[in-house]
Amino acid sequence: MRPVHLDHRSPLVLDLYDLGRQPGSTRPVRRVVAAPGDLGTGVIGIPAGADLELDLRLEAVTEGVLVTGDVRGRAVGECVRCLDRVDQPVDVRLQELYVYPERQAAAAADGDDDEDLRELDGDLADLEPALRDTVVTALPFRPLCRSDCPGLCAQCGVRLADHPGHAHETFDPRWAALSGLPGSDETKEEG
């Protein structure tokens, strides 16, 4: 992917100038950044502006710069069964290769144009797309407040965890014709 012009002051942009291009040179990066907006799904995500801890290792390789490390934060969402708040830790492993622009151009000339490769913008790497891909795919598809959450009553909406014996008397309309027969509960009450 061809990067847009990046702002080196952004906390999610890594300045790789001092790493150099000598394969094997490494540098640790540890920082706390504000989470970008829309870092999640419709039911759970890391709120915009919330703290994200980045503990990364940058390594120069022949093709570019390999970024590996851990990303930690807190996801907030809604239980899909009872709609209560879900607040859970997120601790994911990030690994992304940022290729040198000339390496990407050489691969394209050879007919090996991989659109999924992230390209460096000079000495800058945009961490946000890789962060988004890693964090969002690690979030639960159907978040639960607890694994045995009974949810809500389908008829009245009461939280079943608060009322474990909750039930509604159901009447099957197919048996309605039998209610008028002698000996049924309704005919005993009338008599």
Side-chain angles (χ1 to χ4, degrees), residues 4-66:
V4 295
H5 184 66
L6 300 175
D7 182 359
H8 71 281
R9 296 169 297 191
S10 170
L12 290 175
V13 171
L14 302 173
D15 188 346
L16 307 170
Y17 177 77
D18 61 340
L19 183 65
R21 289 195 172 195
Q22 179 64 37
S25 58
T26 63
R27 179 170 57 109
V29 172
R30 288 182 184 89
R31 59 175 80 157
V32 176
V33 299
D38 296 327
L39 191 57
T41 65
V43 289
I44 192 166
I46 297 177
D51 286 348
L52 278 179
E53 294 176 40
L54 305 178
D55 186 4
L56 306 173
R57 179 175 180 254
L58 312 178
E59 180 180 1
V61 295
T62 306
E63 297 85 12
V65 176
L66 180 64

Side-chain angles (χ1 to χ4, degrees), residues 84-95:
D84 273 1
R85 179 183 168 101
V86 173
D87 187 340
Q88 67 182 48
V90 173
D91 191 348
V92 294
R93 186 85 177 148
L94 179 133
Q95 182 171 339

Side-chain angles (χ1 to χ4, degrees), residues 2 21 61-65 97-114 117-120:
R2 184 115 184 115
R21 289 195 172 195
V61 295
T62 306
E63 297 85 12
V65 176
L97 175 64
Y98 292 85
V99 297
Y100 297 125
E102 63 273 10
R103 189 79 171 165
Q104 179 73 359
D110 291 341
D112 187 25
D113 189 21
D114 188 353
L117 288 178
R118 301 200 194 281
E119 188 176 317
L120 291 170

Side-chain angles (χ1 to χ4, degrees), residues 27-176:
R27 179 170 57 109
V29 172
R30 288 182 184 89
R31 59 175 80 157
V32 176
V33 299
D38 296 327
L39 191 57
T41 65
V43 289
I44 192 166
I46 297 177
D51 286 348
L52 278 179
E53 294 176 40
L54 305 178
D55 186 4
L56 306 173
R57 179 175 180 254
L58 312 178
E59 180 180 1
V61 295
T62 306
E63 297 85 12
V65 176
L66 180 64
V67 178
T68 56
D70 299 310
V71 177
R72 288 181 283 286
R74 292 210 66 83
V76 177
E78 194 172 84
C79 176
V80 295
R81 291 185 188 159
C82 71
L83 307 179
D84 273 1
R85 179 183 168 101
V86 173
D87 187 340
Q88 67 182 48
V90 173
D91 191 348
V92 294
R93 186 85 177 148
L94 179 133
Q95 182 171 339
E96 193 68 42
L97 175 64
Y98 292 85
V99 297
Y100 297 125
E102 63 273 10
R103 189 79 171 165
Q104 179 73 359
D110 291 341
D112 187 25
D113 189 21
D114 188 353
E115 293 181 13
D116 292 336
L117 288 178
R118 301 200 194 281
E119 188 176 317
L120 291 170
D121 182 6
D123 290 319
L124 302 177
D126 186 5
L127 195 58
E128 185 174 341
L131 181 71
R132 188 172 304 286
D133 290 349
T134 302
V135 171
V136 172
T137 57
L139 294 172
F141 181 66
R142 297 177 47 86
L144 298 173
C145 59
R146 61 180 212 239
S147 61
D148 63 343
C149 176
L152 302 175
C153 173
Q155 291 183 326
C156 67
V158 71
R159 283 190 75 239
L160 297 175
D162 296 339
H163 304 280
H166 179 78
H168 291 273
E169 194 165 320
T170 57
F171 178 72
D172 189 340
R174 295 174 293 180
W175 296 100

